Amino acid sequence: MPDEDVRAQDAVMEQQYALAGARHYHDAVYLCGDQRWPTADHLFGFAAECALKSLLLRFAVHDVSTYRNGNAVNRARWVNPLTGKEDWLGHINQVLGAAPLLAYGRGGPAFVEAVDRLNVFASWDLADRYRDGRQVSDSVVSGRQEAARLALSLYELYELTGRTS
């Protein structure tokens, strides 16, 4: 696929990730109103993940791209600058680990500082969707809601100004 096609595909996926992040966030807020903490928590994690993937597709364009395998959904992938190996950008806790390694340029330090504020997702676990939900409290969800809102705000700031700070 020519470079222009890859950049165009990445631009589409960047927007799709951002829209998905906003959708997950608003659904999570709705579920919080019904005190459905485990599912809200799960969706706040996905909201932050999507917002960060969207930013990384734009912010770290030389190291992050999307991949389409036949009719499969596009997925974000990255090249780890420490190992030179390619891997998928997975869930929020994996994205948080990759983001500081991919941030560079004038806005890199501000981006890393903002990502550090999302550390409430370090213990977020995709496997929680298979548990009974008792491990997720409203106070945990409240912190993650704020962090997801921050991730989405970073994307909105970038859309408006072209910068993350």
Side-chain angles (χ1 to χ4, degrees):
M1 180 180 296
D3 286 341
E4 282 183 32
D5 290 345
V6 171
R7 281 193 295 274
Q9 178 177 308
D10 287 350
V12 168
M13 282 310 299
E14 172 197 323
Q15 185 178 39
Q16 292 300 313
Y17 278 128
L19 292 171
R23 177 174 48 86
H24 291 313
Y25 179 83
H26 292 295
D27 288 350
V29 169
Y30 178 82
L31 290 169
C32 282
D34 198 25
Q35 298 183 354
R36 298 183 62 191
W37 310 124
T39 305
D41 180 61
H42 194 68
L43 291 176
F44 284 134
F46 282 142
E49 171 190 318
C50 289
L52 285 180
K53 285 179 179 179
S54 184
L55 279 168
L56 286 171
L57 279 169
R58 206 185 261 199
F59 191 70
V61 71
H62 299 295
D63 300 306
V64 179
S65 62
T66 56
Y67 175 75
R68 186 167 188 87
N69 184 5
N71 292 326
V73 174
N74 285 302
R75 295 172 45 180
R77 59 184 175 179
W78 70 301
V79 176
N80 185 325
L82 299 177
T83 65
K85 294 184 179 181
E86 184 176 275
D87 199 2
W88 299 112
L89 275 174
H91 298 293
I92 183 63
N93 37 9
Q94 296 166 320
V95 175
L96 288 172
L101 296 174
L102 295 171
Y104 55 84
R106 288 185 314 181
F111 181 71
V112 170
E113 183 180 329
V115 167
D116 283 346
R117 292 174 42 201
L118 302 178
N119 66 359
V120 297
F121 287 109
S123 62
W124 185 88
D125 187 355
L126 181 66
D128 283 348
R129 65 185 175 179
Y130 303 112
R131 297 187 180 112
D132 63 14
R134 287 182 279 171
Q135 73 284 0
V136 180
S137 67
D138 60 337
S139 62
V140 167
V141 173
S142 177
R144 291 184 178 160
Q145 178 179 1
E146 184 60 35
R149 185 179 314 131
L150 171 64
L152 290 166
S153 295
L154 282 173
Y155 180 80
E156 290 170 4
L157 178 64
Y158 193 87
E159 279 289 290
L160 291 172
T161 67
R163 300 181 352 203
T164 57
S165 62

mmCIF file of all heavy atoms in Angstrom, residues 5-53:
data_model
loop_
_atom_site.group_PDB
_atom_site.id
_atom_site.type_symbol
_atom_site.label_atom_id
_atom_site.label_comp_id
_atom_site.label_asym_id
_atom_site.label_seq_id
_atom_site.Cartn_x
_atom_site.Cartn_y
_atom_site.Cartn_z
ATOM 1 N N ASP A 5 -1.791 6.163 0.893
ATOM 2 C CA ASP A 5 -2.924 5.341 1.303
ATOM 3 C C ASP A 5 -2.847 5.011 2.789
ATOM 4 O O ASP A 5 -3.854 5.012 3.482
ATOM 5 C CB ASP A 5 -2.990 4.053 0.495
ATOM 6 C CG ASP A 5 -3.394 4.289 -0.959
ATOM 7 O OD1 ASP A 5 -3.897 5.391 -1.264
ATOM 8 O OD2 ASP A 5 -3.201 3.374 -1.774
ATOM 9 N N VAL A 6 -1.656 4.724 3.281
ATOM 10 C CA VAL A 6 -1.473 4.409 4.700
ATOM 11 C C VAL A 6 -1.821 5.630 5.536
ATOM 12 O O VAL A 6 -2.539 5.529 6.531
ATOM 13 C CB VAL A 6 -0.026 3.939 4.989
ATOM 14 C CG1 VAL A 6 0.225 3.831 6.475
ATOM 15 C CG2 VAL A 6 0.227 2.607 4.303
ATOM 16 N N ARG A 7 -1.326 6.805 5.155
ATOM 17 C CA ARG A 7 -1.626 8.028 5.917
ATOM 18 C C ARG A 7 -3.122 8.322 5.897
ATOM 19 O O ARG A 7 -3.683 8.735 6.903
ATOM 20 C CB ARG A 7 -0.821 9.208 5.369
ATOM 21 C CG ARG A 7 0.629 9.201 5.840
ATOM 22 C CD ARG A 7 1.320 10.520 5.546
ATOM 23 N NE ARG A 7 1.449 10.794 4.126
ATOM 24 C CZ ARG A 7 2.436 10.363 3.360
ATOM 25 N NH1 ARG A 7 3.389 9.622 3.872
ATOM 26 N NH2 ARG A 7 2.474 10.670 2.075
ATOM 27 N N ALA A 8 -3.766 8.117 4.771
ATOM 28 C CA ALA A 8 -5.206 8.356 4.681
ATOM 29 C C ALA A 8 -5.962 7.384 5.577
ATOM 30 O O ALA A 8 -6.899 7.767 6.281
ATOM 31 C CB ALA A 8 -5.681 8.228 3.234
ATOM 32 N N GLN A 9 -5.550 6.123 5.566
ATOM 33 C CA GLN A 9 -6.184 5.123 6.420
ATOM 34 C C GLN A 9 -5.964 5.459 7.885
ATOM 35 O O GLN A 9 -6.884 5.359 8.700
ATOM 36 C CB GLN A 9 -5.609 3.740 6.108
ATOM 37 C CG GLN A 9 -6.171 2.626 6.973
ATOM 38 C CD GLN A 9 -5.612 1.279 6.568
ATOM 39 O OE1 GLN A 9 -5.661 0.914 5.407
ATOM 40 N NE2 GLN A 9 -5.068 0.561 7.528
ATOM 41 N N ASP A 10 -4.758 5.891 8.242
ATOM 42 C CA ASP A 10 -4.473 6.259 9.622
ATOM 43 C C ASP A 10 -5.313 7.456 10.059
ATOM 44 O O ASP A 10 -5.793 7.505 11.190
ATOM 45 C CB ASP A 10 -2.985 6.572 9.811
ATOM 46 C CG ASP A 10 -2.116 5.329 9.770
ATOM 47 O OD1 ASP A 10 -2.666 4.206 9.782
ATOM 48 O OD2 ASP A 10 -0.882 5.479 9.720
ATOM 49 N N ALA A 11 -5.519 8.425 9.154
ATOM 50 C CA ALA A 11 -6.326 9.599 9.480
ATOM 51 C C ALA A 11 -7.773 9.193 9.747
ATOM 52 O O ALA A 11 -8.405 9.706 10.676
ATOM 53 C CB ALA A 11 -6.258 10.628 8.349
ATOM 54 N N VAL A 12 -8.291 8.268 8.962
ATOM 55 C CA VAL A 12 -9.650 7.771 9.189
ATOM 56 C C VAL A 12 -9.727 7.060 10.535
ATOM 57 O O VAL A 12 -10.643 7.287 11.328
ATOM 58 C CB VAL A 12 -10.096 6.830 8.040
ATOM 59 C CG1 VAL A 12 -11.372 6.084 8.402
ATOM 60 C CG2 VAL A 12 -10.276 7.618 6.760
ATOM 61 N N MET A 13 -8.742 6.205 10.813
ATOM 62 C CA MET A 13 -8.760 5.472 12.082
ATOM 63 C C MET A 13 -8.562 6.403 13.268
ATOM 64 O O MET A 13 -9.147 6.193 14.326
ATOM 65 C CB MET A 13 -7.710 4.367 12.079
ATOM 66 C CG MET A 13 -8.128 3.145 11.288
ATOM 67 S SD MET A 13 -9.788 2.526 11.707
ATOM 68 C CE MET A 13 -9.576 2.125 13.434
ATOM 69 N N GLU A 14 -7.765 7.438 13.102
ATOM 70 C CA GLU A 14 -7.581 8.423 14.174
ATOM 71 C C GLU A 14 -8.930 9.007 14.573
ATOM 72 O O GLU A 14 -9.265 9.085 15.746
ATOM 73 C CB GLU A 14 -6.645 9.525 13.691
ATOM 74 C CG GLU A 14 -6.538 10.685 14.641
ATOM 75 C CD GLU A 14 -5.960 11.905 13.970
ATOM 76 O OE1 GLU A 14 -5.063 11.762 13.122
ATOM 77 O OE2 GLU A 14 -6.430 13.015 14.292
ATOM 78 N N GLN A 15 -9.708 9.397 13.574
ATOM 79 C CA GLN A 15 -11.024 9.963 13.848
ATOM 80 C C GLN A 15 -11.967 8.909 14.427
ATOM 81 O O GLN A 15 -12.731 9.191 15.352
ATOM 82 C CB GLN A 15 -11.613 10.559 12.572
ATOM 83 C CG GLN A 15 -12.928 11.265 12.819
ATOM 84 C CD GLN A 15 -13.478 11.885 11.567
ATOM 85 O OE1 GLN A 15 -13.387 11.311 10.487
ATOM 86 N NE2 GLN A 15 -14.061 13.058 11.701
ATOM 87 N N GLN A 16 -11.915 7.685 13.905
ATOM 88 C CA GLN A 16 -12.783 6.621 14.416
ATOM 89 C C GLN A 16 -12.482 6.312 15.879
ATOM 90 O O GLN A 16 -13.394 6.114 16.683
ATOM 91 C CB GLN A 16 -12.653 5.359 13.559
ATOM 92 C CG GLN A 16 -13.207 5.515 12.154
ATOM 93 C CD GLN A 16 -14.687 5.856 12.160
ATOM 94 O OE1 GLN A 16 -15.475 5.246 12.860
ATOM 95 N NE2 GLN A 16 -15.057 6.857 11.392
ATOM 96 N N TYR A 17 -11.192 6.257 16.220
ATOM 97 C CA TYR A 17 -10.826 6.034 17.628
ATOM 98 C C TYR A 17 -11.375 7.153 18.506
ATOM 99 O O TYR A 17 -11.909 6.902 19.589
ATOM 100 C CB TYR A 17 -9.309 5.941 17.796
ATOM 101 C CG TYR A 17 -8.711 4.597 17.493
ATOM 102 C CD1 TYR A 17 -7.643 4.484 16.611
ATOM 103 C CD2 TYR A 17 -9.184 3.435 18.101
ATOM 104 C CE1 TYR A 17 -7.069 3.246 16.338
ATOM 105 C CE2 TYR A 17 -8.619 2.198 17.832
ATOM 106 C CZ TYR A 17 -7.563 2.117 16.949
ATOM 107 O OH TYR A 17 -6.999 0.893 16.684
ATOM 108 N N ALA A 18 -11.244 8.399 18.058
ATOM 109 C CA ALA A 18 -11.731 9.526 18.851
ATOM 110 C C ALA A 18 -13.242 9.447 19.042
ATOM 111 O O ALA A 18 -13.751 9.660 20.149
ATOM 112 C CB ALA A 18 -11.340 10.839 18.188
ATOM 113 N N LEU A 19 -13.961 9.146 17.968
ATOM 114 C CA LEU A 19 -15.420 9.027 18.068
ATOM 115 C C LEU A 19 -15.826 7.860 18.968
ATOM 116 O O LEU A 19 -16.770 7.972 19.758
ATOM 117 C CB LEU A 19 -16.028 8.873 16.675
ATOM 118 C CG LEU A 19 -15.923 10.109 15.773
ATOM 119 C CD1 LEU A 19 -16.351 9.761 14.356
ATOM 120 C CD2 LEU A 19 -16.738 11.264 16.332
ATOM 121 N N ALA A 20 -15.122 6.753 18.852
ATOM 122 C CA ALA A 20 -15.413 5.605 19.716
ATOM 123 C C ALA A 20 -15.136 5.953 21.174
ATOM 124 O O ALA A 20 -15.907 5.574 22.069
ATOM 125 C CB ALA A 20 -14.581 4.393 19.292
ATOM 126 N N GLY A 21 -14.054 6.680 21.424
ATOM 127 C CA GLY A 21 -13.737 7.094 22.788
ATOM 128 C C GLY A 21 -14.840 7.934 23.387
ATOM 129 O O GLY A 21 -15.262 7.717 24.531
ATOM 130 N N ALA A 22 -15.348 8.897 22.621
ATOM 131 C CA ALA A 22 -16.441 9.740 23.110
ATOM 132 C C ALA A 22 -17.695 8.910 23.365
ATOM 133 O O ALA A 22 -18.385 9.097 24.369
ATOM 134 C CB ALA A 22 -16.722 10.856 22.107
ATOM 135 N N ARG A 23 -17.973 7.973 22.474
ATOM 136 C CA ARG A 23 -19.157 7.112 22.646
ATOM 137 C C ARG A 23 -19.042 6.261 23.914
ATOM 138 O O ARG A 23 -19.975 6.187 24.718
ATOM 139 C CB ARG A 23 -19.324 6.210 21.422
ATOM 140 C CG ARG A 23 -20.485 5.232 21.520
ATOM 141 C CD ARG A 23 -20.677 4.470 20.210
ATOM 142 N NE ARG A 23 -19.472 3.915 19.641
ATOM 143 C CZ ARG A 23 -18.967 2.715 19.974
ATOM 144 N NH1 ARG A 23 -19.565 1.964 20.882
ATOM 145 N NH2 ARG A 23 -17.874 2.262 19.392
ATOM 146 N N HIS A 24 -17.888 5.637 24.114
ATOM 147 C CA HIS A 24 -17.696 4.823 25.320
ATOM 148 C C HIS A 24 -17.810 5.682 26.575
ATOM 149 O O HIS A 24 -18.406 5.256 27.572
ATOM 150 C CB HIS A 24 -16.322 4.136 25.298
ATOM 151 C CG HIS A 24 -16.198 3.070 24.263
ATOM 152 N ND1 HIS A 24 -17.142 2.094 24.057
ATOM 153 C CD2 HIS A 24 -15.203 2.826 23.367
ATOM 154 C CE1 HIS A 24 -16.755 1.289 23.086
ATOM 155 N NE2 HIS A 24 -15.569 1.715 22.648
ATOM 156 N N TYR A 25 -17.253 6.887 26.510
ATOM 157 C CA TYR A 25 -17.298 7.776 27.675
ATOM 158 C C TYR A 25 -18.748 8.122 28.026
ATOM 159 O O TYR A 25 -19.157 8.014 29.177
ATOM 160 C CB TYR A 25 -16.496 9.056 27.401
ATOM 161 C CG TYR A 25 -16.535 10.004 28.573
ATOM 162 C CD1 TYR A 25 -15.656 9.843 29.637
ATOM 163 C CD2 TYR A 25 -17.470 11.040 28.631
ATOM 164 C CE1 TYR A 25 -15.707 10.689 30.729
ATOM 165 C CE2 TYR A 25 -17.524 11.887 29.721
ATOM 166 C CZ TYR A 25 -16.635 11.707 30.762
ATOM 167 O OH TYR A 25 -16.693 12.536 31.863
ATOM 168 N N HIS A 26 -19.530 8.532 27.041
ATOM 169 C CA HIS A 26 -20.915 8.931 27.312
ATOM 170 C C HIS A 26 -21.761 7.749 27.781
ATOM 171 O O HIS A 26 -22.622 7.910 28.660
ATOM 172 C CB HIS A 26 -21.522 9.607 26.083
ATOM 173 C CG HIS A 26 -20.888 10.931 25.802
ATOM 174 N ND1 HIS A 26 -20.979 12.015 26.648
ATOM 175 C CD2 HIS A 26 -20.102 11.331 24.776
ATOM 176 C CE1 HIS A 26 -20.298 13.026 26.161
ATOM 177 N NE2 HIS A 26 -19.755 12.638 25.020
ATOM 178 N N ASP A 27 -21.517 6.571 27.234
ATOM 179 C CA ASP A 27 -22.224 5.378 27.717
ATOM 180 C C ASP A 27 -21.849 5.077 29.165
ATOM 181 O O ASP A 27 -22.706 4.698 29.972
ATOM 182 C CB ASP A 27 -21.917 4.174 26.832
ATOM 183 C CG ASP A 27 -22.581 4.254 25.466
ATOM 184 O OD1 ASP A 27 -23.432 5.139 25.250
ATOM 185 O OD2 ASP A 27 -22.232 3.420 24.600
ATOM 186 N N ALA A 28 -20.579 5.255 29.512
ATOM 187 C CA ALA A 28 -20.134 5.004 30.884
ATOM 188 C C ALA A 28 -20.775 5.984 31.859
ATOM 189 O O ALA A 28 -21.201 5.598 32.957
ATOM 190 C CB ALA A 28 -18.608 5.087 30.965
ATOM 191 N N VAL A 29 -20.855 7.247 31.473
ATOM 192 C CA VAL A 29 -21.498 8.248 32.328
ATOM 193 C C VAL A 29 -22.958 7.859 32.562
ATOM 194 O O VAL A 29 -23.464 7.940 33.685
ATOM 195 C CB VAL A 29 -21.383 9.658 31.705
ATOM 196 C CG1 VAL A 29 -22.273 10.657 32.438
ATOM 197 C CG2 VAL A 29 -19.932 10.124 31.719
ATOM 198 N N TYR A 30 -23.631 7.417 31.517
ATOM 199 C CA TYR A 30 -25.027 6.976 31.640
ATOM 200 C C TYR A 30 -25.139 5.823 32.644
ATOM 201 O O TYR A 30 -26.016 5.806 33.507
ATOM 202 C CB TYR A 30 -25.544 6.566 30.260
ATOM 203 C CG TYR A 30 -26.967 6.058 30.276
ATOM 204 C CD1 TYR A 30 -28.035 6.949 30.260
ATOM 205 C CD2 TYR A 30 -27.230 4.692 30.310
ATOM 206 C CE1 TYR A 30 -29.344 6.492 30.276
ATOM 207 C CE2 TYR A 30 -28.537 4.229 30.325
ATOM 208 C CZ TYR A 30 -29.589 5.129 30.311
ATOM 209 O OH TYR A 30 -30.873 4.674 30.341
ATOM 210 N N LEU A 31 -24.229 4.856 32.540
ATOM 211 C CA LEU A 31 -24.257 3.709 33.455
ATOM 212 C C LEU A 31 -23.943 4.119 34.892
ATOM 213 O O LEU A 31 -24.465 3.516 35.835
ATOM 214 C CB LEU A 31 -23.286 2.631 32.978
ATOM 215 C CG LEU A 31 -23.718 1.914 31.698
ATOM 216 C CD1 LEU A 31 -22.569 1.064 31.163
ATOM 217 C CD2 LEU A 31 -24.954 1.072 31.945
ATOM 218 N N CYS A 32 -23.106 5.130 35.071
ATOM 219 C CA CYS A 32 -22.829 5.627 36.427
ATOM 220 C C CYS A 32 -24.111 6.138 37.081
ATOM 221 O O CYS A 32 -24.299 5.969 38.289
ATOM 222 C CB CYS A 32 -21.790 6.742 36.393
ATOM 223 S SG CYS A 32 -20.104 6.164 36.202
ATOM 224 N N GLY A 33 -24.974 6.746 36.288
ATOM 225 C CA GLY A 33 -26.241 7.233 36.817
ATOM 226 C C GLY A 33 -27.098 6.121 37.371
ATOM 227 O O GLY A 33 -27.945 6.360 38.239
ATOM 228 N N ASP A 34 -26.871 4.915 36.916
ATOM 229 C CA ASP A 34 -27.610 3.739 37.393
ATOM 230 C C ASP A 34 -26.758 2.909 38.358
ATOM 231 O O ASP A 34 -27.115 1.788 38.686
ATOM 232 C CB ASP A 34 -28.037 2.889 36.192
ATOM 233 C CG ASP A 34 -29.146 1.916 36.508
ATOM 234 O OD1 ASP A 34 -29.929 2.159 37.446
ATOM 235 O OD2 ASP A 34 -29.225 0.881 35.805
ATOM 236 N N GLN A 35 -25.615 3.458 38.771
ATOM 237 C CA GLN A 35 -24.669 2.812 39.683
ATOM 238 C C GLN A 35 -24.200 1.453 39.166
ATOM 239 O O GLN A 35 -23.968 0.527 39.938
ATOM 240 C CB GLN A 35 -25.259 2.695 41.089
ATOM 241 C CG GLN A 35 -25.554 4.041 41.697
ATOM 242 C CD GLN A 35 -26.074 3.955 43.106
ATOM 243 O OE1 GLN A 35 -26.338 2.887 43.640
ATOM 244 N NE2 GLN A 35 -26.228 5.105 43.731
ATOM 245 N N ARG A 36 -24.020 1.352 37.904
ATOM 246 C CA ARG A 36 -23.514 0.124 37.282
ATOM 247 C C ARG A 36 -22.010 0.281 37.094
ATOM 248 O O ARG A 36 -21.498 0.441 36.003
ATOM 249 C CB ARG A 36 -24.262 -0.136 35.977
ATOM 250 C CG ARG A 36 -25.761 -0.348 36.284
ATOM 251 C CD ARG A 36 -26.567 -0.679 35.110
ATOM 252 N NE ARG A 36 -26.116 -1.937 34.543
ATOM 253 C CZ ARG A 36 -26.507 -2.375 33.363
ATOM 254 N NH1 ARG A 36 -27.336 -1.664 32.647
ATOM 255 N NH2 ARG A 36 -26.052 -3.511 32.890
ATOM 256 N N TRP A 37 -21.312 0.277 38.242
ATOM 257 C CA TRP A 37 -19.896 0.617 38.310
ATOM 258 C C TRP A 37 -18.988 -0.272 37.461
ATOM 259 O O TRP A 37 -18.105 0.259 36.761
ATOM 260 C CB TRP A 37 -19.405 0.639 39.759
ATOM 261 C CG TRP A 37 -20.262 1.441 40.693
ATOM 262 C CD1 TRP A 37 -20.854 1.001 41.837
ATOM 263 C CD2 TRP A 37 -20.637 2.818 40.577
ATOM 264 N NE1 TRP A 37 -21.580 2.010 42.430
ATOM 265 C CE2 TRP A 37 -21.462 3.131 41.674
ATOM 266 C CE3 TRP A 37 -20.372 3.798 39.628
ATOM 267 C CZ2 TRP A 37 -21.999 4.401 41.857
ATOM 268 C CZ3 TRP A 37 -20.915 5.065 39.814
ATOM 269 C CH2 TRP A 37 -21.712 5.352 40.922
ATOM 270 N N PRO A 38 -19.119 -1.584 37.495
ATOM 271 C CA PRO A 38 -18.164 -2.408 36.730
ATOM 272 C C PRO A 38 -18.188 -2.137 35.225
ATOM 273 O O PRO A 38 -17.133 -2.015 34.597
ATOM 274 C CB PRO A 38 -18.590 -3.845 37.040
ATOM 275 C CG PRO A 38 -19.305 -3.757 38.341
ATOM 276 C CD PRO A 38 -20.006 -2.427 38.307
ATOM 277 N N THR A 39 -19.359 -2.017 34.656
ATOM 278 C CA THR A 39 -19.440 -1.783 33.214
ATOM 279 C C THR A 39 -19.027 -0.356 32.885
ATOM 280 O O THR A 39 -18.345 -0.117 31.880
ATOM 281 C CB THR A 39 -20.857 -2.088 32.697
ATOM 282 O OG1 THR A 39 -21.204 -3.425 33.087
ATOM 283 C CG2 THR A 39 -20.926 -1.971 31.182
ATOM 284 N N ALA A 40 -19.388 0.597 33.735
ATOM 285 C CA ALA A 40 -18.945 1.975 33.532
ATOM 286 C C ALA A 40 -17.419 2.041 33.580
ATOM 287 O O ALA A 40 -16.786 2.690 32.736
ATOM 288 C CB ALA A 40 -19.550 2.893 34.593
ATOM 289 N N ASP A 41 -16.821 1.363 34.540
ATOM 290 C CA ASP A 41 -15.364 1.336 34.668
ATOM 291 C C ASP A 41 -14.720 0.785 33.401
ATOM 292 O O ASP A 41 -13.746 1.340 32.883
ATOM 293 C CB ASP A 41 -14.987 0.478 35.876
ATOM 294 C CG ASP A 41 -13.494 0.391 36.086
ATOM 295 O OD1 ASP A 41 -12.861 1.440 36.315
ATOM 296 O OD2 ASP A 41 -12.956 -0.729 36.025
ATOM 297 N N HIS A 42 -15.280 -0.281 32.904
ATOM 298 C CA HIS A 42 -14.774 -0.916 31.687
ATOM 299 C C HIS A 42 -14.816 0.071 30.516
ATOM 300 O O HIS A 42 -13.845 0.229 29.774
ATOM 301 C CB HIS A 42 -15.641 -2.149 31.408
ATOM 302 C CG HIS A 42 -15.080 -3.093 30.422
ATOM 303 N ND1 HIS A 42 -13.965 -3.847 30.663
ATOM 304 C CD2 HIS A 42 -15.484 -3.406 29.174
ATOM 305 C CE1 HIS A 42 -13.704 -4.593 29.609
ATOM 306 N NE2 HIS A 42 -14.609 -4.347 28.691
ATOM 307 N N LEU A 43 -15.927 0.762 30.379
ATOM 308 C CA LEU A 43 -16.084 1.704 29.272
ATOM 309 C C LEU A 43 -15.207 2.943 29.433
ATOM 310 O O LEU A 43 -14.716 3.484 28.433
ATOM 311 C CB LEU A 43 -17.553 2.093 29.113
ATOM 312 C CG LEU A 43 -18.460 0.975 28.602
ATOM 313 C CD1 LEU A 43 -19.909 1.442 28.575
ATOM 314 C CD2 LEU A 43 -18.024 0.487 27.235
ATOM 315 N N PHE A 44 -14.974 3.393 30.660
ATOM 316 C CA PHE A 44 -14.042 4.516 30.854
ATOM 317 C C PHE A 44 -12.637 4.111 30.418
ATOM 318 O O PHE A 44 -11.905 4.909 29.831
ATOM 319 C CB PHE A 44 -14.039 4.999 32.304
ATOM 320 C CG PHE A 44 -15.233 5.823 32.684
ATOM 321 C CD1 PHE A 44 -15.903 5.574 33.875
ATOM 322 C CD2 PHE A 44 -15.705 6.838 31.863
ATOM 323 C CE1 PHE A 44 -17.005 6.323 34.243
ATOM 324 C CE2 PHE A 44 -16.816 7.591 32.214
ATOM 325 C CZ PHE A 44 -17.470 7.338 33.417
ATOM 326 N N GLY A 45 -12.265 2.865 30.679
ATOM 327 C CA GLY A 45 -10.964 2.379 30.212
ATOM 328 C C GLY A 45 -10.888 2.374 28.699
ATOM 329 O O GLY A 45 -9.890 2.821 28.114
ATOM 330 N N PHE A 46 -11.933 1.911 28.045
ATOM 331 C CA PHE A 46 -11.948 1.914 26.581
ATOM 332 C C PHE A 46 -11.964 3.344 26.027
ATOM 333 O O PHE A 46 -11.344 3.620 25.000
ATOM 334 C CB PHE A 46 -13.141 1.131 26.039
ATOM 335 C CG PHE A 46 -12.946 -0.356 26.084
ATOM 336 C CD1 PHE A 46 -13.997 -1.190 26.406
ATOM 337 C CD2 PHE A 46 -11.731 -0.931 25.794
ATOM 338 C CE1 PHE A 46 -13.830 -2.570 26.443
ATOM 339 C CE2 PHE A 46 -11.543 -2.304 25.831
ATOM 340 C CZ PHE A 46 -12.597 -3.121 26.158
ATOM 341 N N ALA A 47 -12.667 4.248 26.705
ATOM 342 C CA ALA A 47 -12.703 5.640 26.250
ATOM 343 C C ALA A 47 -11.305 6.250 26.275
ATOM 344 O O ALA A 47 -10.873 6.877 25.292
ATOM 345 C CB ALA A 47 -13.652 6.454 27.129
ATOM 346 N N ALA A 48 -10.592 6.059 27.369
ATOM 347 C CA ALA A 48 -9.231 6.599 27.478
ATOM 348 C C ALA A 48 -8.308 5.935 26.463
ATOM 349 O O ALA A 48 -7.488 6.598 25.820
ATOM 350 C CB ALA A 48 -8.703 6.403 28.901
ATOM 351 N N GLU A 49 -8.436 4.641 26.308
ATOM 352 C CA GLU A 49 -7.622 3.894 25.335
ATOM 353 C C GLU A 49 -7.826 4.436 23.923
ATOM 354 O O GLU A 49 -6.858 4.694 23.196
ATOM 355 C CB GLU A 49 -8.017 2.424 25.402
ATOM 356 C CG GLU A 49 -7.443 1.551 24.326
ATOM 357 C CD GLU A 49 -8.074 0.173 24.341
ATOM 358 O OE1 GLU A 49 -8.271 -0.403 25.438
ATOM 359 O OE2 GLU A 49 -8.372 -0.335 23.250
ATOM 360 N N CYS A 50 -9.068 4.620 23.524
ATOM 361 C CA CYS A 50 -9.354 5.111 22.174
ATOM 362 C C CYS A 50 -8.816 6.526 21.976
ATOM 363 O O CYS A 50 -8.252 6.836 20.920
ATOM 364 C CB CYS A 50 -10.861 5.076 21.911
ATOM 365 S SG CYS A 50 -11.522 3.407 21.709
ATOM 366 N N ALA A 51 -8.986 7.385 22.981
ATOM 367 C CA ALA A 51 -8.483 8.756 22.862
ATOM 368 C C ALA A 51 -6.965 8.759 22.706
ATOM 369 O O ALA A 51 -6.420 9.485 21.872
ATOM 370 C CB ALA A 51 -8.899 9.578 24.083
ATOM 371 N N LEU A 52 -6.274 7.940 23.484
ATOM 372 C CA LEU A 52 -4.813 7.893 23.387
ATOM 373 C C LEU A 52 -4.357 7.302 22.055
ATOM 374 O O LEU A 52 -3.393 7.784 21.452
ATOM 375 C CB LEU A 52 -4.221 7.112 24.546
ATOM 376 C CG LEU A 52 -4.215 7.847 25.878
ATOM 377 C CD1 LEU A 52 -3.612 6.968 26.966
ATOM 378 C CD2 LEU A 52 -3.468 9.159 25.788
ATOM 379 N N LYS A 53 -5.028 6.266 21.592
ATOM 380 C CA LYS A 53 -4.664 5.696 20.289
ATOM 381 C C LYS A 53 -4.846 6.734 19.189
ATOM 382 O O LYS A 53 -4.016 6.847 18.281
ATOM 383 C CB LYS A 53 -5.495 4.448 19.987
ATOM 384 C CG LYS A 53 -5.060 3.232 20.766
ATOM 385 C CD LYS A 53 -5.934 2.041 20.442
ATOM 386 C CE LYS A 53 -5.485 0.804 21.198
ATOM 387 N NZ LYS A 53 -6.354 -0.356 20.903
#
